[in-house]
Amino acid sequence: MTAPARVRRAKADLPAPADRPARRRSAGRLARWDVKFSPYLFVSPYFLLFAAFGAFPMLYTLWVALHDWELVGSRGFVGLANFRMVLTDPQFWNSVWNTAGMFVVATVPQLLLALLLANALNRRMRGQTLLRMGVLAPMVTSVAAVAIVFSQLFSRDFGLVNYVLGWFGVERIDWAAERWSSWLAISVMVDWRWTGYNALIYLAAMQSIPRDLYEAAAIDGASRRRQFWTITLPMLRPTIIFTAIISTIGGFQLFTEPLLFGNGDMAGGSLRQFQTVTMYMFENAFGRFDYGYASAVSWMLFVIILFGSLLNFLWLRRVGGGKA
Amino acid sequence: MPAPHFRRSGAPHGEPPKTSGAHPRPAGRARRRGRLGAGLAAAALVLAAGCGGGGADDGKITLTVDTFSTFGYEELFKQYEAQHPNIRIKHRNVVQLDDYLPRLEKWIAAGRGAGDVVAIEEGILTKFMAQPDRFVNLLDHGAGSLQGNFLDWKWRQALTPDGRYLVGLGTDVGGLAMCYRTDLFAKAGLPTDREKVGELWPTWDAYIATGQRFAAKVKDAKFVDGAVNLYNSMLAQQASQTVGHTYFDPSGKLVAAGNPAVKTAWDTTLKIQRSGLSAGLKSFEPSWGTGLKEARFATIACPSWMLGVIKENAGAAAAGKWDVAAIPGGSGSRGGSFLAVPRGSEHPREAAELAKFLTSPQSQIAAFKARNNLPSSPQALDDPAVKSFRNEYFNNAPVGEIYAGGAKALKPLYLGEDTNPVNQRFEDALLAVEQDKLTPDAAWTKALADAEREAR
Amino acid sequence: MIVINSRRPRRRRGGTLATLWGAGPLTRITLAATIAASVFPLYWMLVVATRTNDVVGSVPPPVVPGGELGRNLARLFGDEQARFGLGLVNSAIAASAVTVSTLLFASLAGFAFAKLRFRGRNGLLLVMLATMMVPVQMGIIPLYMLMAEIGWTGKLQAVIVPFLVTGFGVFMMRQYTMQALPDELIEAARIDGCSTWRIYWSVVLPVLRPAMAVLGLFTFMQTWNEFIWPLAVLDPDNPTVQYSLNLLNGSYYTDYSLMFTGTAVSTLPLLVIFLLCGRQLIGGIMDGALKA
């Protein structure tokens, strides 16, 4: 956060000619080593940390998935039995359906809205800073806080949402009871929090689009809407792919919102109408204490996310019609 | 690779960890405590470096106590520290049992992280009883002589079948009563005196009839909070009065479908719900708490530990408006806990002493006064301080007499390993009926099928 | 907001831009509605936080703040179970540490992936992309076992060290570097005899500043707001602020005014940082090396 001043100083002495000769002398081997090994040095922190805290736990999970593994209790090797069971488990597929459904209900409008919002924020108007602060405010609120506040707002008997709907003659809705209503309530929480985030990413990307492109288009008589379609969108393609993939990953890991929406119930409603895959994994781990099965579920989740992201990527690339 | 890993981390399959060298040395503990003081302090110093527990700088032993909800121990801790200058007590409380259980399982499995004394709720105890060696055998610490301080069945719940291993000491039991709002009863033209109210409903059918009288007069409140709390109380009642188990028989077999107690509780609950008497609130959810505060229902099935919950939720504005009467259909036991010392404790002797102190009849009386947790000790139940105790908030109801009176006649319930998840499936099915998403018959079929899945 | 302000000088230079980027009424209405929707839940949080618990569920609901904030704050920080003050301090430490290291490691790796040639680059990049797909929750159980093994459960480093850099950060930096940093600039620096580190420090970092500001803010917020992992690995006597929040939320007794005060207080530091960083960056960020 305090970088700017230092960076500027560093930049100021970039072409410092004084130390050039000295460097030239020792150049040769050192420079070659530098070019050869620096890249590995630069990427190594990520891979080392990931190996220790990402890959190891993941592989360990695979090992656990091959066992009938209770946290307290038996630990027999069962081979692929857990995976076979997952594939024929209606509760698992129910959670997949819910997760996918909520992902679509939440993400599609969210990204569209974010794009629209970024475009609007990119305009020049008075009170910009205030406007942008307002739009981005939800981001600074934690998932826990969002879930606490929104669950109260969506409460059947004492919630503000039903109270306001009552003005229009709508009967009290039991938001948690039905599939559609629970999905909607949870999607509202997700979108409320993340639309600003995505808008900010789009905005950052929009800002880096060279202005002369627009100026040239304006001179050619292109309308603002047309400029958006022919310049902004294509230039944003890498960013859109980026946010879509991130949303896929985030969407399929949806957990805290539905969990707190159901007041901590890992089954996600009376008929599991809003139980996500991650919740199902947790239910098996912490409700049934069946870690072997929970691990198998988490690997299935991994495969689904991988598959979903890949599909997403290919589709967007095709729609975009070019290199991402 | 993982298994040896795990064993080393302190989940001992066999020998206990060598800590203060204090392991099985029965008898004479009171005197030895003083002698061991210095040595233990040194041991604590050494161990503190290894586990980062800290707090050994002044030579004191820190004992961590893990509890959930409300145990009413605050004053007792102060008292114990005053009597034992070398002991410092650190209390960690987690409000929700649902948060507490996975954490406890994790700690016990890893062999570290748990406090020196942990509270174990009866629903999870059965599971731990299958691996008693994860806990300190309290019989090794002279608890054997205390058997007479506990209701017999409470004592035996935490004892292995061969009688050689005692995992925990009982804290409380859950007697049953029915709480009701006097102001709403008056509005409905019903009697408000607790004796007369009890006489209104000797049976659950009479309870329904009373509810219908109530519903005819009062429109802005329902008769009962919701199906879930009603069912849980009724199940405990029916099961303890008849077969003595709920979803699992003592051999561990799932018998939900064939146990008449389950079916009776289910049918009666839904009969009440179908009569339009339920506010449709799920117990312990935020809106249930708000419902209590807003007086949206007139009665609620009331295990003794529920009194504190009602008081906190309904708030000062409702002081004196709630009262306690007998529950329809006779008494039963619902809920109750134990204190145990996990094997990972570095001070098993001191921890065992503390657990014994906290579960002594005198302490149980103190906890009852603080939080209305009904003692599991017959001496405490007989004690005039308990028997004559009145709860000011509940219109000065003689809760000591109401709960303690029948407590010794309580019959134990056997709960199988998977009782918690199975019960949640039954609650879900009831909720689905309340939400008009399933017919009672479909819900029953579904609950049984889901129970099979949980018990797998 | 940060990024935008950095571009102001250039915008002034472009003569036609004022008309080109003006806002129509539709834009204004969209923004007004969005902002109302964005701010309302926060406002509602404030309303409940400044009243007693009795207002929740009352009809009609209160719409203006009350005068109970002081008492609620006293109750919040006096709550022995929740340890809210300690939670705030712990979260501040954890979030700062994670942010600084993420910015450094992610920009380094992002730069290497975007602009440096080395054997196995594409392979490693693919591996990294794949690692991003790993659900965080998937590792919680074994990660917990690992933490228990090295004795970190209940300690603050357990919520810091595993998150010192994320695939997300690396990928974001890589994408941005590709977009914003012309190859010629690096080649020019190489010809000038700059080492790779120096190129990173003097050429890449200045260009990356806008994206780093965003990544830094997100990382800080994410760490500050992390919920599940602290809940799993920490103990109630050494919580982060979100954990404290959860400790306030008892299922046996729901005190909304206390909980909402907690959520408000836990959100406040982020709002302040948001404002502070904005101002700093407005003054500090000039046009990047692109136009220098």
Side-chain angles (χ1 to χ4, degrees):
Chain A
M1 305 277 114
T2 53
R6 273 168 67 203
V7 174
R8 208 190 317 158
R9 232 181 295 123
K11 199 173 73 183
D13 64 15
L14 165 63
D19 61 339
R20 250 188 234 164
R23 205 173 273 175
R24 284 253 166 80
R25 241 175 284 133
S26 65
R29 221 170 351 157
L30 228 108
R32 245 178 298 133
W33 280 356
D34 173 45
V35 170
K36 204 166 176 188
F37 294 113
S38 288
Y40 296 107
L41 206 65
F42 285 11
V43 299
S44 60
Y46 172 73
F47 284 102
L48 287 178
L49 279 162
F50 181 78
F53 302 110
F56 167 72
M58 206 172 113
L59 294 175
Y60 196 81
T61 310
L62 187 61
W63 174 254
V64 173
L66 299 177
H67 292 72
D68 177 14
W69 190 303
E70 293 188 19
L71 195 47
V72 181
S74 59
R75 274 173 200 182
F77 187 82
V78 294
L80 293 174
N82 282 326
F83 288 97
R84 267 199 297 275
M85 216 166 353
V86 174
L87 288 173
T88 56
D89 180 352
Q91 289 180 357
F92 169 73
W93 290 111
N94 169 66
S95 72
V96 172
W97 167 240
N98 288 339
T99 312
M102 278 188 262
F103 167 69
V104 172
V105 172
T107 309
V108 174
Q110 177 191 333
L111 293 187
L112 289 176
L113 201 66
L115 207 55
L116 209 74
L117 204 58
N119 195 41
L121 286 169
N122 206 13
R123 305 289 170 77
R124 177 180 256 191
M125 67 194 100
R126 249 177 302 166
Q128 281 183 333
T129 314
L130 211 68
L131 280 175
R132 283 163 191 163
M133 280 301 294
V135 169
L136 299 175
M139 245 178 17
V140 305
T141 321
S142 72
V143 197
V146 171
I148 288 168
V149 173
F150 274 80
S151 299
Q152 202 277 315
L153 289 172
F154 280 112
S155 151
R156 181 194 65 187
D157 294 333
F158 310 106
L160 219 51
V161 174
N162 277 348
Y163 178 76
V164 171
L165 286 178
W167 294 345
F168 306 100
V170 180
E171 288 235 356
R172 282 194 321 205
I173 297 170
D174 192 347
W175 291 94
E178 301 295 332
R179 189 162 247 145
W180 69 269
S181 56
S182 56
W183 287 13
L184 195 69
I186 291 162
S187 296
V188 167
M189 291 186 210
V190 175
D191 286 353
W192 183 77
R193 185 145 180 273
W194 289 108
T195 306
Y197 169 96
N198 285 306
L200 191 78
I201 291 192
Y202 289 152
L203 191 58
M206 281 178 186
Q207 296 286 322
S208 68
I209 299 173
R211 300 284 142 172
D212 25 353
L213 282 181
Y214 291 104
E215 283 170 36
I219 290 164
D220 288 349
S223 68
R224 209 156 55 195
R225 185 163 300 164
R226 201 173 151 66
Q227 287 172 28
F228 181 76
W229 287 105
T230 55
I231 300 171
T232 313
L233 266 190
M235 295 295 282
L236 282 184
R237 201 189 315 126
T239 318
I240 293 174
I241 291 177
F242 172 73
T243 52
I245 290 177
I246 293 298
S247 300
T248 309
I249 297 166
F252 276 84
Q253 295 181 50
L254 190 62
F255 178 78
T256 309
E257 289 95 340
L259 183 78
L260 293 184
F261 179 66
N263 293 301
D265 172 21
M266 285 185 279
S270 55
L271 295 181
R272 300 175 181 273
Q273 58 267 31
F274 54 92
Q275 183 181 45
T276 63
V277 182
T278 315
M279 286 165 80
Y280 188 57
M281 182 190 108
F282 261 66
E283 187 191 4
N284 280 294
F286 292 128
R288 297 167 176 159
F289 298 107
D290 188 347
Y291 282 87
Y293 196 71
S295 299
V297 171
S298 77
W299 267 89
M300 290 297 297
L301 175 63
F302 178 49
V303 172
I304 290 171
I305 290 181
L306 212 61
F307 192 68
S309 300
L310 201 72
L311 229 76
N312 219 321
F313 179 75
L314 292 175
W315 181 69
L316 279 168
R317 204 152 97 146
R318 170 158 305 185
V319 167
K323 218 180 102 191
Chain B
M1 131 213 139
H5 226 52
F6 234 80
R7 256 171 226 149
R8 188 152 40 78
S9 79
H13 298 272
E15 58 188 317
K18 297 273 184 292
T19 52
S20 58
H23 192 49
R25 238 190 276 167
R29 63 205 133 71
R31 215 179 323 129
R32 193 162 340 104
R33 204 190 300 126
R35 243 190 291 143
L36 275 175
L40 283 170
L45 257 171
V46 174
L47 285 161
C51 59
D57 35 63
D58 53 0
K60 279 194 184 187
I61 292 170
T62 300
L63 294 178
T64 304
V65 181
D66 281 309
T67 60
F68 61 91
S69 187
T70 50
F71 272 70
Y73 284 163
E74 290 74 11
E75 287 306 314
L76 290 170
F77 288 151
K78 281 181 202 157
Q79 190 187 328
Y80 195 78
E81 282 176 333
Q83 289 165 5
H84 302 81
N86 64 325
I87 302 278
R88 187 189 296 117
I89 295 173
K90 194 165 93 177
H91 184 204
R92 300 189 301 193
N93 187 63
V94 176
V95 181
Q96 301 191 29
L97 181 61
D98 289 346
D99 285 342
Y100 179 76
L101 284 185
R103 191 182 306 279
L104 183 65
E105 276 242 8
K106 231 166 45 185
W107 283 334
I108 298 303
R112 69 173 86 182
D116 298 281
V117 177
V118 297
I120 298 180
E121 196 259 349
E122 65 174 13
I124 196 84
L125 178 73
T126 329
K127 184 148 211 157
F128 288 143
M129 288 309 292
Q131 290 108 10
D133 61 355
R134 289 176 186 275
F135 295 89
V136 167
N137 184 358
L138 294 172
L139 293 178
D140 294 340
H141 294 274
S145 61
L146 304 175
Q147 185 169 358
N149 285 352
F150 297 89
L151 294 171
D152 187 50
W153 56 271
K154 188 81 179 176
W155 174 263
R156 275 189 284 119
Q157 269 183 322
L159 190 70
T160 52
D162 62 8
R164 289 194 188 154
Y165 213 109
L166 186 70
V167 170
L169 290 166
T171 57
D172 62 321
V173 294
L176 284 172
M178 184 66 82
C179 295
Y180 66 99
R181 267 194 86 117
T182 51
D183 55 342
L184 289 177
F185 268 51
K187 199 170 157 191
L190 293 168
T192 55
D193 177 75
R194 60 183 77 91
E195 294 289 328
K196 294 221 172 68
V197 168
E199 285 163 16
L200 281 175
W201 52 51
T203 64
W204 285 106
D205 280 334
Y207 176 78
I208 295 174
T210 312
Q212 278 158 344
R213 277 172 67 191
F214 177 88
K217 292 268 183 62
V218 180
K219 297 299 172 197
D220 57 353
K222 293 290 186 178
F223 190 56
V224 65
D225 60 335
V228 169
N229 183 54
L230 201 55
Y231 169 77
N232 281 322
S233 299
M234 225 183 282
L235 175 63
Q237 177 192 50
Q238 299 298 320
S240 59
Q241 285 177 9
T242 55
V243 288
H245 57 259
T246 57
Y247 305 109
F248 296 90
D249 71 13
S251 71
K253 192 165 155 268
L254 180 70
V255 292
N259 185 350
V262 176
K263 186 66 172 152
T264 307
W266 173 275
D267 286 342
T268 314
T269 301
L270 282 183
K271 198 168 161 191
I272 293 168
Q273 195 272 330
R274 296 273 109 173
S275 311
L277 301 180
S278 162
L281 296 166
K282 188 179 177 192
S283 42
F284 309 124
E285 287 202 343
S287 51
W288 178 81
T290 312
L292 266 170
K293 185 164 65 67
E294 298 287 314
R296 295 296 173 94
F297 46 86
T299 68
I300 176 172
C302 234
S304 45
W305 44 261
M306 186 71 90
L307 296 178
V309 180
I310 293 174
K311 181 180 169 185
E312 284 198 81
N313 277 291
K321 289 182 179 163
W322 283 97
D323 209 323
V324 191
I327 192 164
S331 187
S333 172
R334 177 183 167 197
S337 296
F338 298 81
L339 293 185
V341 179
R343 179 61 91 195
S345 167
E346 280 135 26
H347 315 288
R349 176 169 306 277
E350 287 67 25
E353 289 304 320
L354 180 59
K356 287 195 284 190
F357 167 77
L358 291 171
T359 54
S360 70
Q362 282 313 310
S363 297
Q364 293 198 19
I365 293 169
F368 176 76
K369 285 183 180 169
R371 292 289 177 174
N372 294 131
N373 289 340
L374 189 61
S376 62
S377 150
Q379 292 91 326
L381 288 166
D382 283 337
D383 195 281
V386 170
K387 283 217 151 157
S388 66
F389 185 76
R390 284 172 175 273
N391 193 320
E392 221 173 299
Y393 186 86
F394 288 82
N395 200 18
N396 227 7
V399 294
E401 191 188 312
I402 293 171
Y403 287 104
K408 278 200 280 182
L410 285 181
K411 288 194 198 121
L413 264 187
Y414 172 80
L415 302 169
E417 267 189 40
D418 291 317
T419 295
N420 271 332
V422 167
N423 193 56
Q424 276 166 22
R425 300 295 79 83
F426 275 79
E427 289 182 0
D428 284 347
L430 283 169
L431 211 58
V433 177
E434 282 202 313
Q435 291 168 342
D436 273 330
K437 285 157 60 183
L438 288 181
T439 64
D441 287 343
W444 174 252
T445 311
K446 183 174 176 358
L448 289 179
D450 286 350
E452 294 278 353
R453 166 75 182 83
E454 298 297 344
R456 196 173 65 194
Chain C
M1 139 209 116
I2 302 119
V3 184
I4 292 89
N5 285 314
S6 71
R7 301 290 175 176
R8 239 178 222 159
R10 208 187 313 144
R11 208 176 283 164
R12 254 182 251 118
R13 257 178 268 144
T16 59
L17 282 180
T19 47
L20 195 66
W21 295 96
L26 207 67
T27 306
R28 286 173 195 279
I29 291 170
T30 310
L31 283 176
T34 312
I35 288 187
S38 292
V39 173
F40 178 73
L42 293 173
Y43 177 74
W44 176 242
M45 195 158 91
L46 187 74
V47 169
V48 178
T50 53
R51 287 171 172 271
T52 64
N53 194 36
D54 293 338
V55 298
V56 178
S58 60
V59 178
V63 286
V64 290
E68 292 290 317
L69 184 62
R71 201 174 311 166
N72 287 338
L73 282 175
R75 284 199 302 146
L76 178 67
F77 285 99
D79 193 299
E80 283 178 24
Q81 303 295 346
R83 293 170 185 263
F84 212 82
L86 181 63
L88 284 172
V89 172
N90 278 340
S91 284
I93 295 172
S96 307
V98 170
T99 303
V100 169
S101 92
T102 298
L103 286 181
L104 178 69
F105 291 147
S107 58
L108 272 173
F111 163 52
F113 276 129
K115 295 293 173 184
L116 299 180
R117 317 227 153 266
F118 54 98
R119 195 174 302 171
R121 182 175 81 164
N122 290 339
L124 283 175
L125 184 67
L126 221 74
V127 170
M128 199 214 69
L129 279 176
T131 64
M132 282 173 61
M133 316 294 169
V134 179
V136 183
Q137 293 90 347
M138 184 174 156
I140 281 196
I141 298 151
L143 198 56
Y144 177 82
M145 291 171 179
L146 179 67
M147 292 293 151
E149 191 58 34
I150 56 182
W152 283 11
T153 49
K155 294 184 187 168
L156 201 56
Q157 61 257 42
V159 298
I160 297 176
V161 179
F163 309 100
L164 284 178
V165 58
T166 56
F168 168 79
V170 177
F171 187 62
M172 182 175 170
M173 285 295 133
R174 185 231 171 209
Q175 294 298 89
Y176 191 84
T177 312
M178 288 214 336
Q179 265 184 8
L181 188 75
D183 291 339
E184 302 84 56
L185 219 63
I186 296 172
E187 280 156 29
R190 280 246 190 264
I191 291 164
D192 278 355
C194 287
S195 67
T196 314
W197 170 259
R198 187 148 175 92
I199 293 173
Y200 162 75
W201 190 256
S202 306
V203 180
V204 181
L205 270 188
V207 175
L208 287 186
R209 267 177 305 175
M212 282 178 87
V214 175
L215 178 64
L217 277 172
F218 288 154
T219 307
F220 191 91
M221 283 171 196
Q222 212 167 0
T223 313
W224 182 273
N225 290 335
E226 182 55 56
F227 181 68
I228 304 166
W229 176 241
L231 211 63
V233 77
L234 294 182
D235 293 330
D237 50 357
N238 188 28
T240 61
V241 69
Q242 305 302 328
Y243 196 157
S244 292
L245 213 53
N246 191 58
L247 291 171
L248 285 175
N249 177 12
S251 73
Y252 288 168
Y253 173 49
T254 306
D255 186 338
Y256 275 115
S257 60
L258 187 63
M259 273 163 57
F260 278 40
T261 307
T263 55
V265 171
S266 71
T267 303
L268 195 67
L270 291 187
L271 272 171
V272 170
I273 287 169
F274 206 57
L275 286 165
L276 281 182
C277 280
R279 236 178 275 138
Q280 258 191 349
L281 287 162
I282 289 163
I285 300 176
M286 302 297 289
D287 282 11
L290 276 167
K291 304 262 165 163

